[in-house]
Amino acid sequence: MSTTELPQNAETVIIGAGAVGCSVAYHLSELGAEDIVVVDQGPLPVTGGSSVHAPGIMFQTSPSKIQTKAAYYTSRLLADAGVYDEVGGIEVARSEDRMDFLERRVENATAYGLPDPQLLSPEEVTEHLPLVDEDEILGGYYSPTDGRVDGIGALQWYIEQTPATFVGDTEVTDIVTAGGEVQAIETNKGRIDCDRCVMATNNWGYQTGQLAGVDLPIAPVEHQYVVTEPLEELAGAGSSMGNNTTGLDVPGNRDIQEAMSEGPHQPVGRDQDHSLYFRTHGDRLGMGSYNHETLSVDPDDMGTNSDDRQASVRGFTEEHWTQPTHRGRDKSAKQAFDELLPTTADVDYEVTENGIFVFTPDGMPAIGETAQVSGLWSALAIWWTHSGGYGRILAEWMENGTPRLPSGPVDTGGVHVRRFEPHAGEKDYFVDRGAKRYEQVYSIVEPRWQATEHRGLRRSPFYSHEADLGAEFYQGGGWETPQWYESNADLVDRYADEIPEQEGWQGVNRSAIEGAEHLHTREHVSMFDMTSFSSIIIEGPDSAAFLQRVCSNDVDIDIGQVRYSLLLNEGGGILADITVVRLEENEYMVTTGGGNSPGIHGEWLKEHAPETVSVTIEEGAKSTIGLWGPKSRLLLQRCTDADLSNSGFPYFRAKQIYVGEVPVIALRVSYVGELGWELWAPVEYGAQLWETLWEAGQDLDVRPMGGGALESMRLEKGYRLWGTDIDTDSNPYEAGLPFAVDLDTDFIGKEALEAAKAAGIDSRITPLTLDDSTDILMSGRPVLKDGEAIGYVQAADFGYSIGESIAYTYVPAEYAEAGTDVEVLCEGERYDATIRDEPLFDPGRDKLIR
C-alpha cells in the first residue's frame, strides 16, 4: 500500500523502495512478518535510484554459487509476476581467451543448475542477434532463461502485492540507536519507532550507515548507457515510447524512464572483450559500457532528486564513449560497438546517461545484521539481477535465523556485511577498491589474482623475516600471508619427480615451490605463519555453560584439553568450525580461521553471550606459528623445558609453556596431518618466537611453508575449510563431521539437526581423485554421472604425498560410495574420476600421534 502518511511505529522499517527494499518487504510479508514500513526519498515507484535508471538486463551465470542461485530465483519470481522478458542472453567472444572463458560459463551454469547452457557458433549467435557482425566473433554463450526485468513494472508489482506501508518523498535524516540497538528513524516527516531497520539504499548506502555510526564500504561509480534513435532493422518490433510512464511522477529526465520501460524482443547481449552490453528497446537499441576509466563518485556527495535530474544519474560524458580511457581496453566503446553492431555506426542517440550504482571492495553484496548495531540490517550493493534472491535470503535470515532460498540454505560468508576488515570503511580505501572492481567487471580475472594497491596494511611480526626469505605474499582480510617462499626453490629439484607441471588456466599464479614445501614438511619440519587466524577468549562464571549452548560438541572438558566443534545456525547450517581450548576453570580460548572469521564468528559469539560471560576477539593480538613435520618435536624440545613426549603432551591437548623466553599457549594440533603444534604468543613476542625456532632448527633443515602447501596437505587429510568445503548451506552430517556433534548436549541448531538426521542425509561430501591425469581441477566445475550434474568441485589440489589429483564435492548419498565412477568437466575437458574414502593420506593417523 502506498500512502503519504508516515506511521509513528513499525516493527520493521526499510529505507529504500528500489529493487532490493521492495523485495525484502515482499518476502518478509510472505513469511508472515507484519507492521512493515518502506520509505524512500523519491516518488513511488520512480524513486530516482539505480533501480529505475538501469536497463534491467539479467545475466544469471556467475562463478559464485550464491550469485547464480540468487539470480535464478529472481528471474523465476519476476517471470511469474509478469514483469520479466525471458528473451535469453548471449555473451559473444572476440578472442580465443574469451572463448575459453565462455566454456567456463557453461561449466559454472551446469554446476549450479541453470537450465540448458549452450555454446554457440558465430552463425548461431547471429540467428538470435542479427545485428551482430558474424565476422567479428568466434562464438557465444547462450543462457535461455536470461533476459530483462521491467524495473518500474516490477516495483509497482511489489508495492501492489506487499501488505506493507510504502511512503515516498520521505528523507531519512537519522537512525536513532541506544545501547547498541536500533530505536527509531527520523525523517523529514517525523519519527518512526521500530524494532529493526533494513538499509536498502545502495547508492546512498555509505551515507545511510553513517547515520547509525557504521562505516560501510559502499563505493558509487558512474556507468554509461545510450539508446539509439529508431533503427530500420528493428522497425518490426514497434514502440510504445512516449506512453510508458504516463501518469507517473518522474524526477529528472523522463526520456530515461521511457526508454528503460521499453522491453526487448531479442536476447540481451554482451561483448565482454570490450566491456560492453546491449539490448533492444522496441525498435531502438540500448548500449551500455564499462569501457571507460572508473568515474568514482564521492559517497558523501550523492545528493537528491531535483527538477533537472534523478539523484543517481549524472550527465553523459562523451569523451568516455568516444575515447579509449579504460586501462585494459585499446578501443573506445563507440569504436567497439561500431565494429560489432555496424548498423549503429552513424545513428543518433535519443537517450544518454551516466547512471550510478555501487561496488564493495571485493565486488560482492553486503547483507546481514551489522555487528555495531543490533537490529540494523544491510541489504546493499545488490543489482536487479540478484535482488529477488537476496530479498528472500535476508527475509529468511531476519525471520527464521537461517539464510535460505526455496532450494535450500545458502552460504553467506562471501556476502556477509561483517566480512569486511577493520580498515575497509576508510573512504579512500573502499572507493579505490570499488573502482578496481568496476574496471574488472568484464575482465578475465586470473585465478588467485592479487591487487597491487593498498598492500601491506596488516603484517605479522614475522613479515620482515618472510620478506627476506622471498615470500610471495597474498592478501586476505588485509593480512599479508605467504603463499610460497623463493628461498625454497632448491627443494623443487629435490622433489622434481613428485611435482607434476601444471599448464593452462589451472597453472596460473601457481608455483612448483608449493608442492616442494608440502613434501618437505612431510619429511622434515616447517614453520607456517598463522597470525591471521583468530583467537577468541571466553571468560566468566558461566563461560562453560555458554560454550556448551553454542557449540555442537561436548565442550565440558578438562583444563588443558582441546576439542573440535562447530557453531551452527538455527537451521543446523555450519557457521564455523572451531577449536575450543580450556585454559582455566572459567577461561577458554576459541580458535578459528582468519579472513572474515573475527567479524562474522567472533561477533556472533558476542551477540549470544550472557552478561556473565566476556567475549574478547583477539584479532591481531596474538602471533602464531604452526610448527609441523616429523622433526617438529625435536626442534621444539630444544627451545623449552616442557615435556613434549606423546604421553606428556598428547594429541589435542594444550599447555602454557615458554619457548625460549617467550610465553606461549601451545596446542598439539595440526592442520596438515603431521606431528606438530600451534604456538600462540602475544604479538609483541612474535619476532622473538620466530627467531628462536628458526635458529634452533637450522641443522634440521627447518623451512618456512606457505598457504599453497597448507591447502594441498589439508585436502590429503580431508580437513575442512570453512567457506570452501563447509558453510551455512551444509549441516555436519552432510559435511562428514558427525564426530563434532553430541546430541546429548543442548545447542543452537540441535532441533534442525535431529530432524535432518531422522529424515535421512541425501547429500554427502566426498573426495574424488582423477584416474588418468595430474591436472589440478578448479572450483565450481560440475561433477557428472552418466552425463548429468550431481555436484560440483568445492576445492581441489594435487596431493603430492599420494601422487594424485584431489577434489572434494557434495554428491547425492547414492553416489558417495568409494569406487563410484564419475566425470568432472573442467576447462572444456572431461576427466574420468573415482569417488574415494577419506582420508586419502595416513588413515591410521600414525604420523599425527607418535
Side-chain angles (χ1 to χ4, degrees), residues 700-734:
L700 301 176
D701 198 17
V702 67
R703 299 283 184 132
M705 182 190 108
L710 184 79
E711 176 68 2
S712 58
M713 296 180 81
R714 70 103 184 166
L715 283 175
E716 284 188 332
K717 283 296 294 179
Y719 292 154
R720 308 298 191 243
L721 177 62
W722 186 83
T724 301
D725 317 316
I726 55 174
D727 46 46
T728 48
D729 69 1
S730 55
N731 68 46
Y733 300 119
E734 294 167 332

Side-chain angles (χ1 to χ4, degrees), residues 453-670:
E453 301 84 8
H454 301 283
R455 295 298 299 267
L457 292 171
R458 309 177 84 181
R459 311 178 196 182
S460 83
F462 318 136
Y463 180 85
S464 60
H465 294 294
E466 294 165 342
D468 289 343
L469 291 166
E472 179 68 24
F473 288 105
Y474 279 20
Q475 191 180 64
W479 288 99
E480 297 292 342
T481 58
Q483 187 73 359
W484 68 81
Y485 292 84
E486 288 298 329
S487 62
N488 290 328
D490 63 300
L491 296 176
V492 175
D493 290 336
R494 182 188 302 179
Y495 297 110
D497 293 341
E498 300 168 73
I499 305 174
E501 185 175 353
Q502 298 296 327
E503 299 179 346
W505 199 241
Q506 294 101 313
V508 174
N509 294 326
R510 285 190 180 274
S511 172
I513 296 173
E514 297 168 274
E517 291 175 357
H518 170 135
L519 293 164
H520 173 85
T521 305
R522 292 272 188 243
E523 294 183 358
H524 299 280
V525 60
S526 294
M527 294 165 56
F528 178 79
D529 183 356
M530 295 180 59
T531 300
S532 64
F533 286 50
S534 306
S535 60
I536 303 167
I537 300 298
I538 313 291
E539 298 176 282
D542 295 323
S543 56
F546 163 62
L547 281 173
Q548 197 76 299
R549 173 63 181 151
V550 297
C551 291
S552 64
N553 212 344
D554 183 4
V555 293
D556 186 10
I557 53 181
D558 296 333
I559 294 173
Q561 194 171 359
V562 180
R563 181 146 291 166
Y564 179 80
S565 186
L566 306 169
L567 305 180
L568 307 178
N569 61 25
E570 287 83 348
I574 301 173
L575 284 170
D577 65 332
I578 60 174
T579 301
V580 180
V581 186
R582 193 165 198 167
L583 300 175
E584 302 291 348
E585 184 66 25
N586 294 318
E587 181 182 3
Y588 290 78
M589 183 171 79
V590 172
T591 72
T592 185
N596 54 21
S597 286
I600 296 177
H601 307 139
E603 293 295 341
W604 187 87
L605 287 170
K606 271 190 171 184
E607 287 175 358
H608 287 79
E611 292 183 359
T612 53
V613 172
S614 168
V615 178
T616 304
I617 304 170
E618 296 190 312
E619 188 173 15
K622 283 191 170 74
S623 50
T624 310
I625 291 175
L627 186 69
W628 296 317
K631 298 179 182 178
S632 58
R633 177 180 284 125
L634 178 59
L635 193 163
L636 185 57
Q637 192 67 79
R638 293 176 176 181
C639 307
T640 183
D641 294 330
D643 182 358
L644 302 181
S645 66
N646 194 46
S647 59
F649 200 153
Y651 186 58
F652 257 59
R653 294 296 188 275
K655 287 185 179 182
Q656 300 189 51
I657 67 174
Y658 289 97
V659 176
E661 299 170 309
V662 177
V664 164
I665 299 173
L667 314 184
R668 191 170 161 202
V669 297
S670 167

Side-chain angles (χ1 to χ4, degrees), residues 30-299:
E30 192 178 48
L31 294 173
E34 298 178 345
D35 198 15
I36 302 167
V37 176
V38 185
V39 299
D40 199 288
Q41 65 179 340
L44 301 179
V46 190
T47 61
S50 56
S51 297
V52 294
H53 73 64
I57 290 175
M58 290 179 55
F59 291 96
Q60 301 168 91
T61 310
S62 169
S64 162
K65 177 183 176 181
I66 191 171
Q67 291 281 85
T68 303
K69 292 285 189 181
Y72 186 61
Y73 175 85
T74 303
S75 72
R76 299 309 89 199
L77 172 72
L78 299 179
D80 289 344
V83 292
Y84 181 67
D85 299 303
E86 191 172 294
V87 291
I90 295 177
E91 304 174 22
V92 301
R94 292 216 252 175
S95 66
E96 293 291 349
D97 285 345
R98 185 63 63 176
M99 279 304 298
D100 292 340
F101 174 86
L102 297 186
E103 182 70 60
R104 294 176 203 126
R105 305 294 266 182
V106 173
E107 292 166 6
N108 288 146
T110 303
Y112 302 144
L114 287 184
D116 197 23
Q118 304 169 35
L119 282 182
L120 304 182
S121 67
E123 296 79 10
E124 290 170 323
V125 169
T126 55
E127 287 176 9
H128 291 285
L129 295 172
L131 296 184
V132 169
D133 184 347
E134 188 176 299
D135 294 334
E136 282 290 319
I137 62 174
L138 302 180
Y141 162 63
Y142 179 47
S143 175
T145 57
D146 287 352
R148 167 262 182 183
V149 58
D150 175 2
I152 294 176
L155 296 180
Q156 288 177 312
W157 179 83
Y158 275 130
I159 292 170
E160 292 168 359
Q161 297 296 316
T162 305
T165 300
F166 290 80
V167 188
D169 298 310
T170 303
E171 182 181 356
V172 175
T173 57
D174 194 17
I175 298 175
V176 181
T177 65
E181 297 181 351
V182 164
Q183 301 292 309
I185 66 165
E186 296 277 3
T187 79
N188 62 335
K189 293 182 177 179
R191 172 182 170 121
I192 311 176
D193 293 320
C194 59
D195 297 325
R196 56 190 186 183
C197 175
V198 180
M199 298 177 290
T201 50
N202 255 18
N203 294 343
W204 294 267
Y206 174 76
Q207 290 177 294
T208 308
Q210 291 294 292
L211 296 177
V214 180
D215 295 329
L216 296 171
I218 309 297
V221 294
E222 296 181 36
H223 175 68
Q224 294 199 301
Y225 196 81
V226 304
V227 181
T228 70
E229 63 185 349
L231 301 179
E232 183 178 345
E233 294 85 349
L234 300 176
S239 173
S240 299
M241 290 281 278
N243 300 309
N244 290 320
T245 61
T246 301
L248 296 177
D249 185 358
V250 177
N253 185 351
R254 185 177 291 267
D255 289 347
I256 292 174
Q257 258 45 73
E258 281 290 325
M260 298 311 165
S261 297
E262 191 78 13
H265 63 284
Q266 295 179 1
V268 296
R270 272 178 172 171
D271 171 15
Q272 295 187 83
D273 282 313
H274 297 91
S275 299
L276 308 174
Y277 63 93
F278 54 95
R279 78 163 176 92
T280 56
H281 295 247
D283 60 1
R284 296 158 171 84
L285 189 70
M287 298 178 285
S289 169
Y290 295 91
N291 188 352
H292 55 81
E293 63 181 334
T294 307
L295 302 172
S296 297
V297 177
D298 186 332

